[in-house]
Amino acid sequence: EAIGLDAAGSLAMRGAAGAREIDTLEFATLKIGETDAHGRLARLENGGWSIDVAGERVDLVPLLRGAQAAAPQSQSNSAEARVLPPLRITISPDAPLGEVLLAKGAQPIKRLAGTATYDGLRWDNALFDGRVGAGGIFFEIAESEGRRRLILEAADAGAAIGLIGLTDGYADGVLKVVGEFEDGEKDRPLVGRAAIAKLRVTAAPALAQILTLASLTGIQNTLSGRGIAFDSVVVPFRLTDDWVDIKE
């Protein structure tokens, strides 16, 4: 046990003497920072890891910050461009994660379950569902005909916006994000469109964001205590690791 770390488990080794390596690593307890989880890591034949995880809470904020900081400036399809080893992640629907944190101070995704695979250069498949705020959330990355496509749907758009720590002041609405990864470009940007129906804005900073970024239709001009309602908010975008380009 170290400062800020409480872990208990077991490991199994493989290989001949002098060249031994970890084969499996099982955590009965893993508490570090905000994370309180348990699970199992098993080495894959390609040198990566299969990860099964469950528990009360997983804090991804440090991992996401570290991956962004370590990302190479030119993301070529080579071993040198790898930030993480190949991964196969499973969160069983029979034992979903209680909470998953994506940004400091943001609300969590609850009861998250699903699977994802990372080939060492990109996430080529992912399928997750959980709950955010008052509704469900669904996320998928799937490859078809050589193209990777992304879908994100949330029944409580206001809560989903808060996942990434944006300004408070969004409520209600239904969110749908669709996009396609441009894997032929060096930074593999995601190009797509975010659409929100029936969004309610309750605070001035959030309203300023909406007016700056989005194409709007059906504004209900009511400055009541419930805020301003928008029938439709549409944001075309181009997203890279460190930049978001909003199209008009």
Side-chain angles (χ1 to χ4, degrees):
E1 183 176 333
I3 297 175
L5 172 65
D6 179 7
S10 61
L11 62 86
M13 306 293 292
R14 72 178 185 182
R20 293 178 65 77
E21 61 183 6
I22 296 174
D23 185 35
T24 61
L25 180 60
E26 298 196 31
F27 283 103
T29 300
L30 178 60
K31 296 181 180 180
I32 180 171
E34 295 292 321
T35 293
D36 182 358
H38 56 273
R40 182 177 188 271
L41 285 73
R43 191 176 294 277
L44 299 171
E45 291 302 318
N46 62 3
W49 295 93
S50 172
I51 303 173
D52 293 87
V53 62
E56 294 297 321
R57 183 181 302 105
V58 169
D59 181 6
L60 292 178
V61 176
L63 178 62
L64 294 173
R65 286 177 178 170
Q68 184 176 24
Q73 294 298 314
S74 177
Q75 297 188 17
S76 62
N77 294 321
S78 66
E80 291 76 12
R82 290 184 177 179
V83 175
L84 297 171
L87 300 172
R88 185 174 67 213
I89 299 172
T90 302
I91 306 169
S92 171
D94 296 326
L97 285 170
E99 295 183 346
V100 177
L101 306 175
L102 300 180
K104 186 175 178 62
Q107 65 174 297
I109 304 175
K110 297 185 176 181
R111 297 192 59 78
L112 182 69
T115 61
T117 58
Y118 177 75
D119 65 7
L121 293 170
R122 61 181 194 166
W123 295 98
D124 50 7
N125 285 282
L127 183 63
F128 289 98
D129 64 73
R131 292 193 63 80
V132 177
I137 188 168
F138 170 84
F139 175 80
E140 180 182 37
I141 295 176
E143 190 163 2
S144 176
E145 299 179 352
R147 309 286 290 183
R148 286 189 303 146
R149 296 178 173 86
L150 176 147
I151 298 175
L152 171 65
E153 298 176 345
D156 186 342
I161 291 171
L163 284 174
I164 55 176
L166 290 182
T167 304
D168 292 335
Y170 301 101
D172 304 333
V174 177
L175 168 68
K176 184 169 185 178
V177 179
V178 294
E180 188 170 285
F181 293 93
E182 300 291 340
D183 287 324
E185 299 187 25
K186 68 176 184 179
D187 54 358
R188 292 191 287 276
L190 173 65
V191 180
R193 187 181 75 160
I196 307 175
K198 306 300 183 182
L199 179 69
R200 186 162 51 87
V201 179
T202 61
L207 179 60
Q209 289 176 342
I210 290 293
L211 294 177
T212 300
L213 300 180
S215 299
L216 309 173
T217 61
I219 299 176
Q220 299 174 24
N221 188 20
T222 57
L223 292 172
S224 65
R226 288 180 53 82
I228 301 176
F230 297 89
D231 286 344
S232 176
V233 179
V234 180
V235 183
F237 65 87
R238 177 185 176 91
L239 173 66
T240 64
D241 282 341
D242 54 7
W243 189 258
V244 180
D245 182 19
I246 304 299
K247 300 180 179 179
E248 295 185 358

